[in-house]
Amino acid sequence: MAHDRGVPPGVTKVYDGIVLGAGISGLVSASVLLEKGARTVLVIDEYERVGGNHLDFSIDGYTFDVGSLIFQDDSPLVHRFPELLPRYVPVEPTWSRLNPQGKVTDYPFSMKDDLVAAGPAAWASMAASLVASRFRYRNQRNARDFTRFWVGTKAAERTGLEHYIERFCGLPSEVIDLDFARARMMWIADNARVWPRVTRAARGLRKRLARRGPEVEAPTQRRTQQLVRPREGFDALYRPLVERLESEGVEFLLSTPSTAIERADESLVVRTSAGDFSSPMLVSTVPTHRALALVGVDSEPLPTVTIISLLCSFAGRRGFDTSILYNFSHDGSWKRLTMHSDFYGPVREREYFCVEVVGSGSVRTVAEAEKSFREHTQANGLFHGDLRIEGGHVLENVYPVFTGGSAARAADQVALLHDHGVTSLGKQGGFDYQPTARVSTRNAEKKLGGTVSPK
């Protein structure tokens, strides 16, 4: 409890700061508040454990993640919470994609399979399409225009890029804002710049010839280590982080939804079933429409992606050898699968993996996602053997999708919360596309004026 304030009538306890949400943005926010002088901070979350949407499920000896969660040892999250590093499991993940021709090939693009294999007639058609698209879509308006500008209409169709974008967002690419495309899909532009790739390859070849041996990293370069959570799950990963924050003055109130936020003099009171808590500083990382409802303002939910996860085990022969496989084909509702057994080993001689499906009009339930996945993988020869669905999970508000006017509406909602004394930030609280813990950490640090971790 803050030492220089009493407890107002009706308030259970007073804190120097309160954070709504115990995901990455919420945990970093609590740490930054301590850094800026808070002696007591309360973190409230309706989930039973910290980590937000970093969820895992243990089923009959298998441990599944929701999503494809790869961390790095140079992440700002590790810089702020170094006690995480010994808990991670070092891995060497590999990525591939299923293309529209039914071939498992390089991710995100294969010169050999996407271009060379098409043949001279298709090359000429794609080249002409690219030239025409550079003129037709030079004034880009949406994700479809962005994709077609960089690769051309014909190549976008052959590579499956447009289908993947729709599968990723659960919406047609022409209704997805250009800002979202630039934030999420700049890899399309990077891979479309053929000449820089050729010159980089040439420089690498010259270096190898000069050394007369295999290319090695320069002594000053450091290779980033890829990491995954411990075999036991995210609770084992975040436990030392929680213990450290608790030792520094942070309290966690989990499995407790907030019911209201009210102003009382110079402070805000957060009402919950476990009591009413007051603080002059309130940070929210929950969806903006939910935070606004707590202050008594009705608002329309912003568009976000719902992910349906299929938790699978398998015995037999796989039609691919990478740990992460993306679906760029023209069919099938699933977008990505992650082979957890490539990282942690099989269970009872069975491999196991998680499949991500974006909830859309045609696929809304686990049963619908399973049916679509089985039919598509069977048609493309991805699994030969005994494929079982061990469980499933539907997760809402996974990440924001920018459609017509949603960015402006999000800014208005964040500003309205600010007028009520609430600092709203993060993937959900700031309607901010944050694909990694690296981005979430740095954004929270910047937003609250804390020390910004190195990139």
Side-chain angles (χ1 to χ4, degrees), residues 418-431:
H418 182 268
D419 291 342
H420 283 78
V422 179
T423 300
S424 190
L425 59 85
K427 183 184 298 185
Q428 301 180 41
F431 201 69

Side-chain angles (χ1 to χ4, degrees), residues 21-56:
I24 297 300
S25 294
L27 295 171
V28 173
S29 295
S31 175
V32 172
L33 292 180
L34 293 174
E35 174 190 323
K36 292 177 67 65
R39 289 168 290 177
T40 59
V41 176
L42 177 65
V43 177
I44 306 173
D45 201 308
E46 61 186 32
Y47 282 11
E48 64 182 2
R49 52 187 176 178
V50 306
N53 288 342
H54 285 184
L55 301 175
D56 61 81

Side-chain angles (χ1 to χ4, degrees), residues 55-98:
L55 301 175
D56 61 81
F57 296 90
S58 296
I59 301 174
D60 196 23
Y62 306 107
T63 55
F64 302 93
D65 290 348
V66 170
S68 178
L69 297 169
I70 306 294
F71 304 86
Q72 294 79 35
D73 64 347
D74 62 352
S75 169
L77 181 66
V78 175
H79 183 268
R80 180 161 286 275
F81 299 114
E83 56 270 46
L84 293 175
L85 191 57
R87 297 295 183 106
Y88 285 118
V89 175
V91 295
E92 298 292 339
T94 52
W95 293 264
S96 63
R97 85 189 211 280
L98 178 69

Side-chain angles (χ1 to χ4, degrees), residues 245-265:
L245 289 176
E246 288 178 333
S247 71
E248 295 176 346
V250 177
E251 296 180 23
F252 290 87
L253 183 61
L254 305 178
S255 300
T256 307
S258 301
T259 58
I261 297 173
E262 299 174 3
R263 184 176 292 279
D265 297 327

Side-chain angles (χ1 to χ4, degrees), residues 68-147:
S68 178
L69 297 169
I70 306 294
F71 304 86
Q72 294 79 35
D73 64 347
D74 62 352
S75 169
L77 181 66
V78 175
H79 183 268
R80 180 161 286 275
F81 299 114
E83 56 270 46
L84 293 175
L85 191 57
R87 297 295 183 106
Y88 285 118
V89 175
V91 295
E92 298 292 339
T94 52
W95 293 264
S96 63
R97 85 189 211 280
L98 178 69
N99 72 9
Q101 293 74 47
K103 183 178 179 59
V104 175
T105 185
D106 296 339
Y107 170 83
F109 179 80
S110 168
M111 185 72 72
K112 174 185 175 183
D113 296 318
D114 293 324
L115 295 181
V116 175
W123 302 342
S125 177
M126 286 188 283
S129 172
L130 176 59
V131 172
S133 295
R134 286 295 172 92
F135 285 96
R136 182 176 180 181
Y137 299 108
R138 62 183 181 273
N139 297 318
Q140 301 163 33
R141 299 165 299 172
N142 50 51
R144 183 197 62 185
D145 294 357
F146 175 87
T147 303

Side-chain angles (χ1 to χ4, degrees), residues 290-369:
R290 294 180 59 186
L292 284 169
L294 293 176
V295 300
V297 177
D298 291 331
S299 60
E300 181 183 354
L302 297 166
T304 58
V305 166
T306 294
I307 292 291
I308 303 170
S309 296
L310 302 177
L311 314 177
C312 311
S313 70
F314 174 73
R317 179 172 57 86
R318 283 157 52 181
F320 59 98
D321 58 8
T322 56
S323 47
I324 300 172
L325 177 66
Y326 290 82
N327 179 19
F328 274 61
S329 71
H330 294 166
D331 303 309
S333 59
W334 66 280
K335 74 181 183 89
R336 178 174 57 192
L337 66 81
T338 304
M339 300 298 303
H340 300 307
S341 52
D342 284 3
F343 305 144
Y344 307 109
V347 173
R348 297 182 298 278
E349 299 184 350
R350 295 183 65 85
E351 298 180 277
Y352 62 102
F353 60 97
C354 178
V355 179
E356 294 170 79
V357 180
V358 172
S360 62
S362 60
V363 179
R364 290 289 184 184
T365 66
V366 170
E368 292 170 341

